[in-house]
Amino acid sequence: MKYMLLARPSALIVNDMKRLVKNVGLEPQPLTSTDQFHEYDDSDVCGIVISTALSSKVNEKYWEVIKKTLAYFPGKPIFLASFSTVESTKLTAGNRLKEHDIDLELKSIEDVQQSTLAEGEIMILTKKEIADMGKLPLITKLLKSILAERKILG
C-alpha cells in the first residue's frame, strides 16, 4: 500500500485532503504525532501533507513538522495545506521558514503547472482549491505528475 501522510492534519481540512489523496490513488494516513514516522517504510510513503492551521492533533508547529519530514523522508514531496490565500501563505509561511533556517521555496498550483515541483520546493494547497470539485481533476492530475516525475508513483 502506498501512503500520503497527513503529518499535521487539521479537522477543518482533513476530509477534503483525504478525498484528494484517494483520487490520486493513495491511502491518506492522518497522524497524531511525528513519532509515528518510524511506522512507515520510506518506500511506501509517496508524500507528506502538513497543515498550517493553528490547531491540529499534532502538537508541533508546522515548521517543526517540516524539519522532521525533511530529515525522516528526504526527497519526498511536501504539500502545505492552508486556509489562507496562496499569496498570504507564501508571505507568512515563507517568513516563518526563514526564521527557522528552513531553505524551501513555496509554490502555488499555478507555479507548479508552469514548471514542476523540485526538491527544495513545497506546493501550497489551499482549502478553497481542494474543496472546489471543479478543480479536483486538475489538482489530482498535477499530484500524479509530481509523483511520477520523482519516480515515486508510476
Side-chain angles (χ1 to χ4, degrees), residues 1-5 7 26 37 40-50 65-80 104-105 117-123 143 146-153:
M1 175 120 2
K2 297 290 185 178
Y3 301 102
M4 178 77 72
L5 300 183
L26 302 173
F37 281 175
Y40 296 91
D41 188 81
D42 184 70
S43 62
D44 294 332
V45 174
C46 294
I48 298 90
V49 177
I50 301 167
V65 176
I66 290 171
K67 275 188 173 185
K68 287 185 178 180
T69 298
L70 292 168
Y72 209 90
F73 298 109
K76 299 292 180 176
I78 299 173
F79 305 96
L80 199 62
L104 296 172
E105 183 180 349
L117 187 71
E119 285 191 43
E121 299 173 336
I122 294 178
M123 187 165 85
L143 292 182
I146 291 165
L147 298 175
E149 283 177 13
R150 296 219 192 161
K151 299 183 180 5
I152 295 171
L153 193 62

Side-chain angles (χ1 to χ4, degrees), residues 83-136:
F83 291 99
S84 299
T85 64
V86 169
E87 295 77 21
S88 177
T89 302
K90 278 185 174 183
L91 180 65
T92 306
N95 286 337
R96 188 69 70 195
L97 296 180
K98 285 178 188 163
E99 286 172 20
H100 295 279
D101 298 318
I102 302 170
D103 186 25
L104 296 172
E105 183 180 349
L106 299 173
K107 296 184 91 174
S108 68
I109 288 172
E110 291 76 16
D111 294 336
V112 174
Q113 283 179 293
Q114 305 273 326
S115 59
T116 187
L117 187 71
E119 285 191 43
E121 299 173 336
I122 294 178
M123 187 165 85
I124 299 166
L125 296 170
T126 69
K127 164 77 172 168
K128 183 178 178 183
E129 291 169 326
I130 64 171
D132 182 342
M133 295 307 286
K135 275 195 163 185
L136 191 60

